[in-house]
Amino acid sequence: MLAALPAHAETLADTMVAAYRHSALLDQNRALLRAADEDVAVSMAALRPIVEWAASHEFQRTDGTEAVQTSLRLVAQMTLFDWGRNQLAIDIAKENVLATRESLIAVEQDVLLTAIQAYLDVRSAEQQVALQENSVNLLGEERQAAQDRFDVGEITSTDVALAEAQLAATRAGLASAQGALEIARENYRTAVGRAPRDLAPPPPLPARPASVEAAQAAARQTHPVVRQAQRTAAAAELQVAAAAAERSPTVTGSVGLSATRQPQTTRNAFGLPGGTEANNSGTLSASIQMQQTLYSGGRLPAVHRRAMANRDAARATLLNSARQVSQSVGIAWANIDVARAQIAAIDEQISAAQQAYEGVREEATLGARTTLDVLDAEQDLLQARADAITAQANLQLAHYQLLAAMGVLTAQDLKLGIPTYDPSAYYTAVRDAPYTSRQGKNLDRVLRAIGKD
């Protein structure tokens, strides 16, 4: 029970929370999502005017005559009508944002599942070390008992050598188990961001659906890989429409304001240079332009065909993703059944091996069994207990692999009780391409909240 655990014991939930907060991979993909959010702002900006200014200062000297001219120009240009091209670009960017969000969820699942596996590996390795240590102690006693019996002439030196050989092999197994524990701890530190403390026993196994078919049907609806493929296919469909729209005309309008200052030197009645006068002029201009590509050398048709091919590829990817998700669910489901069957069989094996070991050991004291029989019985019992540890860990992991295959291994679905990253906060702040004003202030607030400002 949780009440009996030490105050510093670390639960599986603690491990997942630490991994969620520590993961640089999640930070990387959150940044990629923010970049995709900015693509929406870039596409939205194409519907707005572009205002530019330019200044120039020119000096010319021709046949001893000098001319200086300074000009300033301000131009505003805007696309008035493009037959939906810019709107399609906005819709494509939005679909890409939604696809990237699903990719982030998939990464979150991978991070949590890696942390779960690291947690279970450390616990299993600790149990294996304890089991091997106990076996070394037990075989040490067996070796001493064999030596005592040899000293009184009950057994031969061969029996003592067998006990020593088995003890050495078990010590080697202990060294191997200790090495595996160190490796598991390093994997845990990488996944979680800190070394494992006293790990509490895993919580009760998560429930699974009534049937594998129900789990597969749910996975095809909720798994982020499938949902990402759906968004990618939708974006590819829009790309086909955008490629077709490239052949349509474009209507643009522009307004310009320019000012020019050109100093002129006056001359007196004798033809000598006199004072300097400035010739200032200003110009206001406005225009509407309509243009269309009539011949592109085959580029536009090729772009259209490429978009259709990419659309077909995206549809095939969606179908393949759904199949792979169903396969992953089926594999995880089978692993659960296999682990359960193994645990039931191993429990019976341990019970029988324990009884056999005790019987063989008792018979050996009466001279009816050899030392080798005792060592073999002890080794069978040790192996059965080691297999039980592995099977229990496999059962735990298979249940969480099933949750991941169904797309519900997230901090929110697991109810870890921590604030989670809101993928829509940054998008809401930038989707209208803010520059200043209240929207810009909201963006500053979001950047501070995620620690990127």
Side-chain angles (χ1 to χ4, degrees):
M1 297 177 61
L2 292 179
L5 295 175
H8 59 279
E10 184 169 3
T11 66
L12 180 58
D14 296 333
T15 297
M16 289 189 285
V17 168
Y20 182 84
R21 292 173 172 169
H22 161 75
S23 175
L25 188 60
L26 280 175
D27 290 339
Q28 172 191 347
N29 283 269
R30 288 165 184 165
L32 292 176
L33 176 58
R34 293 194 297 273
D37 293 341
E38 294 291 357
D39 288 338
V40 177
V42 171
S43 300
M44 183 68 69
L47 296 175
R48 298 175 179 173
I50 297 176
V51 181
E52 299 176 333
W53 67 270
S56 64
H57 183 76
E58 299 179 4
F59 171 80
Q60 292 182 351
R61 182 183 179 89
T62 305
D63 296 333
T65 302
E66 297 180 355
V68 179
Q69 178 175 299
T70 303
S71 62
L72 178 65
R73 180 173 175 81
L74 183 67
V75 178
Q77 185 174 359
M78 180 178 180
T79 300
L80 301 178
F81 195 70
D82 62 357
W83 276 261
R85 282 203 296 272
N86 283 335
Q87 185 59 51
L88 284 170
I90 294 172
D91 294 339
I92 292 170
K94 289 180 177 179
E95 291 293 342
N96 289 334
V97 165
L98 296 175
T100 309
R101 288 184 186 178
E102 298 299 334
S103 176
L104 177 60
I105 295 174
V107 171
E108 179 182 341
Q109 288 204 143
D110 291 341
V111 167
L112 295 180
L113 185 59
T114 300
I116 292 169
Q117 184 166 4
Y119 175 93
L120 295 175
D121 286 347
V122 170
R123 276 192 51 83
S124 296
E126 290 174 343
Q127 292 172 338
Q128 295 285 3
V129 168
L131 183 63
Q132 292 289 342
E133 288 176 343
N134 182 67
S135 181
V136 168
N137 294 333
L138 182 60
L139 284 172
E141 296 175 358
E142 293 286 349
R143 190 266 176 208
Q144 186 59 47
Q147 182 66 45
D148 293 342
R149 293 175 65 191
F150 171 75
D151 292 340
V152 298
E154 293 183 1
I155 59 176
T156 67
S157 60
T158 302
D159 295 303
V160 177
L162 287 172
E164 290 178 344
Q166 188 63 42
L167 177 59
T170 305
R171 285 173 175 166
L174 173 59
S176 177
Q178 290 171 336
L181 175 58
E182 291 303 314
I183 293 173
R185 285 173 174 168
E186 288 300 322
N187 292 336
Y188 185 98
R189 184 180 288 108
T190 300
V192 180
R194 62 170 183 250
R197 297 190 286 267
D198 293 335
L199 300 183
L205 293 173
R208 62 175 180 171
S211 65
V212 64
E213 292 78 14
Q216 289 172 332
R220 288 191 291 269
Q221 295 294 325
T222 61
H223 199 282
V225 170
V226 175
R227 294 165 66 94
Q228 180 186 6
Q230 290 173 339
R231 295 299 181 181
T232 302
E237 192 71 43
L238 292 172
Q239 287 283 7
V240 174
E246 286 293 327
R247 303 181 182 186
S248 301
T250 301
V251 180
T252 58
S254 63
V255 177
L257 177 63
S258 61
T260 303
R261 175 183 175 84
Q262 185 175 10
Q264 292 183 348
T265 301
T266 61
R267 295 181 179 275
N268 55 25
F270 299 99
L272 299 176
T276 301
E277 296 181 355
N279 182 15
N280 299 328
S281 63
T283 303
L284 175 64
S285 62
S287 66
I288 295 179
Q289 181 179 1
M290 182 174 182
Q291 63 182 25
Q292 180 180 14
T293 301
L294 298 179
Y295 178 69
S296 63
R299 181 184 66 84
L300 291 180
V303 169
H304 192 198
R305 294 192 300 271
R306 181 182 63 187
M308 290 189 291
N310 288 335
R311 175 198 60 192
D312 295 341
R315 289 174 177 175
T317 300
L318 172 58
L319 178 60
N320 189 54
S321 298
R323 291 173 177 173
Q324 288 182 336
V325 164
S326 295
Q327 179 188 18
S328 298
V329 171
I331 292 174
W333 192 281
N335 286 338
I336 292 175
D337 292 339
V338 169
R340 285 180 172 176
Q342 285 180 333
I343 290 172
I346 292 173
D347 287 342
E348 295 179 1
Q349 180 185 2
I350 291 175
S351 178
Q354 181 69 39
Q355 184 177 359
Y357 170 71
E358 293 173 354
V360 170
R361 190 175 184 182
E362 182 66 24
E363 292 173 0
T365 61
L366 301 176
R369 293 282 185 172
T370 65
T371 301
L372 180 60
D373 294 330
V374 176
L375 295 176
D376 287 342
E378 193 277 338
Q379 185 63 30
D380 290 341
L381 179 58
L382 173 66
Q383 187 60 50
R385 288 174 174 171
D387 291 342
I389 293 172
T390 302
Q392 287 287 352
N394 289 341
L395 179 61
Q396 288 278 346
L397 182 60
H399 272 272
Y400 289 102
Q401 287 174 334
L402 177 61
L403 294 182
M406 294 175 61
V408 291
L409 189 68
T410 66
Q412 183 176 0
D413 291 316
L414 295 174
K415 297 180 173 58
L416 296 182
I418 58 172
T420 56
Y421 183 81
D422 182 5
S424 64
Y426 188 86
Y427 172 80
T428 302
V430 304
R431 62 183 176 183
D432 293 327
Y435 178 64
T436 55
S437 75
R438 181 177 60 84
Q439 287 180 323
K441 295 179 180 178
N442 290 341
L443 176 57
D444 293 339
R445 176 181 56 78
V446 172
L447 288 173
R448 286 192 296 270
I450 60 179
K452 300 301 179 183
D453 189 15

